[in-house]
């Protein structure tokens, strides 16, 4: 990771991560967590374990939040505050609907990405305020359309998106999955073909993720044409 100017103007400088650095961060985070709780390595992280993981990094986790005032597309919010851990809220409609369980997992992992990667930036920024004022806070709102596939120009959302995919679908595990579908001759199957559809469906089933999350993760790793 290296530092560069923040062209969005949120911070004086911001971190620039290579994709492989984020993969390594997520693999270490997952391995350390599983070792701490005595869980054996597995392909996909259990939803309950994912919830426990994020609870260890935040002050409060509300998975039944009413985020309607932020807009119908808002599915997650992270509240950064000076001198304490961030709070995370997940839209209740994701938690209460079993059909949206994979989106719920993606949103949890996405907000954890913001917490893990961006809280140090907010701590430095918010600490520069008036020490005698009310504790400074700043809300980061995440919408559905940028939850899994944000453009790199929106660096904070892109980093959280990549983090989410890397945590739910670890690099080595999803490469192994892709190898099961490849013949070593034609290369990566193309999206829209039968082979590509089978690979995406298998990734959805094995890692408990949505179609879009599986498609994006496979594509950015060059495993899906």
């Amino acid at each position: 990771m290296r530092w560069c100017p923040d062209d969005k103007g949120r911070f004086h400088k911001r971190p620039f991560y290579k994709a492989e650095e984020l993969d390594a961060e997520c693999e270490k985070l997952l391995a350390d967590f599983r070792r701490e709780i005595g869980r054996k390595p597995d392909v996909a992280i259990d939803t309950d374990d994912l919830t426990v993981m994020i609870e260890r990094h935040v002050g409060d986790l509300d998975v039944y939040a009413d985020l309607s005032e932020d807009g119908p597309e808002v599915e997650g919010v992270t509240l950064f505050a000076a001198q304490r851990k961030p709070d995370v809220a997940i839209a209740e409609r994701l938690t209460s609907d079993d059909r949206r369980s994979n989106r719920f997992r993606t949103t949890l992992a996405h907000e954890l990405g913001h917490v893990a990667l961006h809280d140090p930036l907010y701590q430095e920024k918010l600490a520069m305020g008036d020490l005698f004022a009310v504790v400074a806070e700043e809300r980061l709102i995440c919408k559905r359309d940028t939850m899994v596939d944000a453009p790199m120009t929106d660096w904070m959302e892109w980093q959280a998106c990549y983090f989410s995919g890397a945590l739910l679908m670890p690099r080595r595990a999803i490469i192994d999955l892709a190898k099961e579908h490849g013949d070593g001759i034609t290369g990566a199957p193309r999206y829209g073909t039968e082979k590509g559809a089978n690979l995406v469906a298998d990734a959805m089933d094995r890692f408990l993720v949505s179609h879009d999350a599986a498609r994006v993760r496979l594509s950015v790793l060059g495993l899906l044409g």
Side-chain angles (χ1 to χ4, degrees):
M1 187 269 287
R2 63 179 175 84
W3 294 93
C4 62
D6 178 15
D7 57 2
K8 296 295 182 181
R10 293 189 182 104
F11 310 97
H12 174 64
K13 60 181 179 178
R14 61 96 163 178
F16 177 89
Y17 288 95
K18 295 180 180 179
E20 54 266 28
E21 291 174 326
L22 291 175
D23 283 318
E25 286 275 342
C26 290
E27 285 196 14
K28 183 179 185 305
L29 182 67
L30 191 55
D32 290 346
F33 173 74
R34 282 172 166 160
R35 183 167 54 252
E36 289 173 8
I37 66 173
R39 193 82 74 230
K40 293 181 179 180
D42 200 356
V43 173
I45 182 172
D46 179 86
T47 301
D48 289 339
D49 284 350
L50 180 60
T51 303
V52 171
M53 179 186 289
I54 194 171
E55 285 176 338
R56 292 188 173 195
H57 289 81
V58 302
D60 180 70
L61 173 62
D62 182 1
V63 297
Y64 293 97
D66 180 3
L67 303 180
S68 57
E69 291 187 359
D70 292 306
E73 293 298 309
V74 175
E75 298 189 339
V77 172
T78 297
L79 175 66
F80 297 95
Q83 301 179 26
R84 69 174 175 85
K85 293 180 178 180
D87 294 334
V88 166
I90 307 297
E92 185 271 341
R93 65 180 180 276
L94 299 185
T95 313
S96 301
D97 189 346
D98 290 341
R99 296 170 299 176
R100 296 174 171 174
S101 60
N102 290 345
R103 278 174 54 194
F104 172 69
R105 287 166 53 81
T106 295
T107 307
L108 276 176
H110 184 97
E111 299 308 317
L112 178 57
H114 282 307
V115 170
L117 301 175
H118 305 141
D119 184 50
L121 301 174
Y122 279 101
Q123 290 300 323
E124 181 179 0
K125 176 182 178 179
L126 298 175
M128 297 174 65
D130 186 350
L131 295 178
F132 299 98
V134 177
V135 175
E137 298 179 339
E138 193 164 330
R139 295 174 85 241
L140 184 62
I141 296 172
C142 299
K143 298 181 179 181
R144 178 182 179 180
D145 60 355
T146 57
M147 194 62 68
V148 299
D149 194 18
M152 293 188 72
T153 52
D154 188 354
W155 64 269
M156 288 186 69
E157 286 305 304
W158 181 87
Q159 288 178 0
C161 286
Y162 195 97
F163 183 100
S164 174
L167 187 70
L168 297 176
M169 296 166 275
R171 183 184 184 95
R172 281 177 285 187
I174 200 166
I175 288 176
D176 288 343
L177 172 66
K179 287 179 179 178
E180 296 175 12
H181 287 258
D183 56 18
I185 299 175
T186 59
R190 297 192 63 81
Y191 183 69
T193 65
E194 182 179 357
K195 286 186 176 181
N198 289 339
L199 175 57
V200 171
D202 204 359
M204 291 171 61
D205 182 62
R206 191 167 303 190
F207 298 102
L208 305 177
V209 296
S210 68
H211 177 277
D212 284 344
R215 173 185 57 80
V216 170
R217 180 64 170 158
L218 289 164
S219 297
V220 298
L221 293 178
L223 304 173
L224 184 68

